[in-house]
Amino acid sequence: MPRYSDYTTYLQDLQQGSITCVEMLEYYFGKIEESKSNNIYIEVFKEEALAKAQALDQKEGPKGRLFGMVISIKDNICYAGKSSTAASKILEGFVSTYTATAIEKLEAEDAIIIGRVNCDEFGMGSASSHSTYGQVKHPANPAHVPGGSSGGCAAAVLADTCLASIGTDTGGSVRQPAAFCGLVGAKPSYGSISRYGIIAYASSFDQVGVITHQVTEAQLLLDIMSGVDDKDPTTVDQNQIAKPSFDKQTKLKVAYFHDAFHSDGLDPRIQKESLQYLDQVRAQGHTVEAVPFEYLDLLVPTYYVLTTAEASSNLARFDGVRYGYRAPDTKNLEELYRKTRTAGFGAEVKRRIMLGTYVLSASYYDAYYTKAQKTRRLIADRMIEIFDTYDCLLLPTAPVFPWKIGAKMDDPVSVYLADIFTVLANIIGSPAVSIPLLSHDNDFNVNIQILTAKHKESHLFGIINSLQN
Ligand code: GLN
């Protein structure tokens, strides 16, 4: 059991003086030591975090909304004076000169950043297997993967080394590891949180997301990080995420896709518990209806064509000249590029750069890239129609349970296919929260996702609150 699995209790203890920020932090440092073999942390910001905790313990006057909350961050989020490598050798030695806007906002509310955690290289993966620092292990079952790409974030929370963790979600990277670890994973609407200081994977899909024990903490963190940022022109001014916008007595209209809950690849136990959940929501008096959605099989291809295209362009900047690693002993510029990128990128990243370059190449551009843009539009239009009639959509999070370490290394396509339920929210830019259904003492948990229309986060959290009571 974690020392604290909710912020409210911890805050009360802080206020009553039964714990201090420094004591809390030292407890977490101890847990980081204990869980070392899980390969979660790449770097612990020991001195900086301690200095912040000491300052908070001395602080007089008004306290921030995250007072004393200890948070870890994914290694693709920049933090001033620290290395951020996106778990890639190509960024070896790169030290950021600034802090990501999202993290600055957390610190301004008195959060303590404890360190940076492992992930899949550039956020590309579903198991935290593709990292230059090696595989992250599931804290409750170390023979298994913790999910990915923000697997280090989920493992950090599950191993009780921090109260919350900040990751990124391009196609499910906070929601799927949250499911694999039985935690809450939340991604806001596209444009909600500034991407300034986030190492890009696929810019029109990437968003900052959170992994927490409680839904209320996810809501609080998203609320604080959201808002317009001059440094990211895609950010929008949206309604406050933490604003209560929902009358609990309201009976909801809930949509689901029949095929998503009856697909071949869905593990029978996940299916059973997810269908039971639909019944439970019905029993609460809400309307739960299957809606036609003809694009389920197009989600993964649309996502992988577009994200690999964007990745191939985003990753062109890592050439050995500007950032991080540079191959030694090269004779000319071309060789410098080639040797640097050959040694600097891992196999999965190379696979995606090649795929992305291919779909953008002159002869295939229309057949793949243009077509995927069109399917993205069709999917988004259909979802707008659905959200015009329904308050929310329920979807499984992952079709399978955490697999054994090493099990799927030779089968990338089966790993891509397992993203089927999470990529939708990123394709359409909507918010999505993955919540645990039941907890099984010796077994892996099942999570379900709730999605709403874009920029309806306060409504989404209101719905979850109502469904959970
Ligand atoms: N598993 C997906 C992928 O490999 C999602 C990753 C992410 O959200 N960063 O692309």
Side-chain angles (χ1 to χ4, degrees):
M1 280 302 283
R3 169 91 189 250
Y4 290 104
S5 56
D6 71 291
Y7 180 53
T8 319
T9 312
Y10 165 50
L11 195 59
Q12 274 164 6
D13 286 356
L14 272 179
Q15 279 157 354
Q16 283 164 6
S18 53
I19 193 165
T20 64
C21 294
V22 169
E23 281 164 4
M24 185 75 254
L25 194 62
E26 274 166 353
Y27 168 87
Y28 286 137
F29 288 156
K31 286 284 174 187
I32 292 175
E33 267 315 298
E34 269 174 42
S35 58
K36 251 203 154 113
S37 62
N38 291 311
N39 201 19
I40 302 169
Y41 281 78
I42 298 168
E43 184 180 359
V44 180
F45 303 159
K46 225 168 186 160
E47 270 173 43
E48 298 80 358
L50 257 181
K52 176 84 184 246
Q54 280 159 354
L56 292 177
D57 283 335
Q58 305 297 319
K59 189 169 177 173
E60 307 274 341
K63 306 212 169 24
R65 292 165 73 200
L66 300 174
F67 186 81
M69 190 191 279
V70 179
I71 299 174
S72 61
I73 60 174
K74 188 174 177 180
D75 188 40
N76 63 352
I77 303 178
C78 291
Y79 195 78
K82 295 288 177 193
S83 204
S84 296
T85 69
S88 182
K89 180 180 165 70
I90 210 148
L91 274 162
E92 199 176 83
F94 166 73
V95 175
S96 181
T97 52
Y98 59 89
T99 297
T101 303
I103 307 302
E104 270 184 343
K105 289 185 166 194
L106 301 179
E107 291 194 301
E109 293 289 351
D110 293 341
I112 302 167
I113 307 299
I114 190 168
R116 60 187 169 105
V117 294
N118 207 347
C119 57
D120 283 298
E121 188 175 359
F122 288 101
M124 298 177 189
S126 304
S128 304
S129 308
H130 306 297
S131 161
T132 185
Y133 308 104
Q135 173 74 53
V136 182
K137 296 178 182 168
H138 193 297
N141 201 337
H144 291 251
V145 302
S149 67
S150 311
C153 297
V157 176
L158 187 62
D160 197 21
T161 66
C162 55
L163 193 70
S165 191
I166 309 299
T168 56
D169 191 307
T170 305
S173 272
V174 301
R175 289 163 286 146
Q176 183 260 27
F180 277 20
C181 291
L183 298 163
V184 174
K187 150 206 187 284
S189 307
Y190 184 77
S192 175
I193 298 180
S194 171
R195 286 176 293 114
Y196 182 73
I198 309 300
I199 299 172
Y201 158 15
S203 309
S204 78
F205 293 76
D206 296 341
Q207 267 296 284
V208 170
V210 298
I211 296 181
T212 57
H213 290 285
Q214 307 297 333
V215 174
T216 45
E217 287 146 15
Q219 182 176 19
L220 177 66
L221 290 164
L222 293 188
D223 185 59
I224 289 168
M225 290 188 288
S226 66
V228 175
D229 179 14
D230 291 345
K231 297 183 187 117
D232 175 359
T234 62
T235 50
V236 295
D237 191 12
Q238 73 173 79
N239 284 338
Q240 275 179 357
I241 293 175
K243 195 181 71 180
S245 74
F246 192 77
D247 176 4
K248 266 196 172 178
Q249 305 314 316
T250 313
K251 290 300 168 213
L252 299 166
K253 283 198 80 178
V254 178
Y256 74 95
F257 305 146
H258 176 272
D259 291 354
F261 287 78
H262 294 88
S263 73
D264 287 344
L266 191 61
D267 181 279
R269 180 156 79 81
I270 298 179
Q271 179 184 37
K272 186 164 152 256
E273 290 190 22
S274 304
L275 287 171
Q276 274 171 0
Y277 186 69
L278 296 185
D279 287 340
Q280 187 187 317
V281 174
R282 256 186 217 112
Q284 289 176 318
H286 305 295
T287 306
V288 180
E289 284 175 354
V291 295
F293 182 69
E294 54 276 57
Y295 306 118
L296 201 60
D297 290 340
L298 293 184
L299 295 175
V300 169
T302 301
Y303 171 80
Y304 276 96
V305 169
L306 295 177
T307 54
T308 55
E310 292 186 21
S312 71
S313 159
N314 272 327
L315 271 53
R317 77 191 71 175
F318 302 109
D319 54 9
V321 177
R322 283 169 284 195
Y323 311 91
Y325 173 76
R326 176 180 298 174
D329 309 323
T330 53
K331 290 193 273 307
N332 54 42
L333 189 63
E334 203 197 305
E335 199 180 284
L336 171 90
Y337 291 161
R338 190 161 24 84
K339 285 193 167 169
T340 299
R341 289 170 67 86
T342 301
F345 289 131
E348 181 60 26
V349 172
K350 284 180 190 153
R351 180 157 38 234
R352 296 194 190 200
I353 292 174
M354 284 193 280
L355 195 59
T357 310
Y358 178 80
V359 301
L360 289 174
S361 62
S363 331
Y364 295 100
Y365 188 92
D366 281 341
Y368 294 105
Y369 185 72
T370 309
K371 193 159 226 162
Q373 291 285 31
K374 287 180 179 166
T375 57
R376 188 180 200 183
R377 165 54 50 206
L378 288 172
I379 294 163
D381 286 348
R382 175 68 189 123
M383 290 308 299
I384 288 170
E385 274 172 21
I386 292 174
F387 288 134
D388 273 349
T389 314
Y390 294 89
D391 293 292
C392 64
L393 175 80
L394 293 181
L395 260 183
T397 305
V400 291
F401 288 108
W403 50 87
K404 281 234 161 91
I405 288 174
K408 298 195 182 205
M409 287 309 263
D410 300 329
D411 192 3
V413 174
S414 86
V415 178
Y416 298 167
L417 287 171
D419 290 335
I420 179 161
F421 303 130
T422 47
V423 296
L424 173 63
N426 307 76
I427 290 173
I428 66 174
S430 75
V433 180
S434 166
I435 55 166
L437 288 184
L438 303 162
S439 61
H440 298 265
D441 289 342
N442 299 312
D443 234 335
F444 290 118
N445 194 84
V446 176
N447 270 34
I448 196 138
Q449 280 186 98
I450 301 125
L451 284 77
T452 58
K454 233 173 160 173
H455 303 306
K456 294 270 192 208
E457 276 85 346
S458 57
H459 197 62
L460 172 56
F461 282 107
I463 290 172
I464 298 173
N465 188 20
S466 157
L467 294 178
Q468 281 186 329
N469 285 294

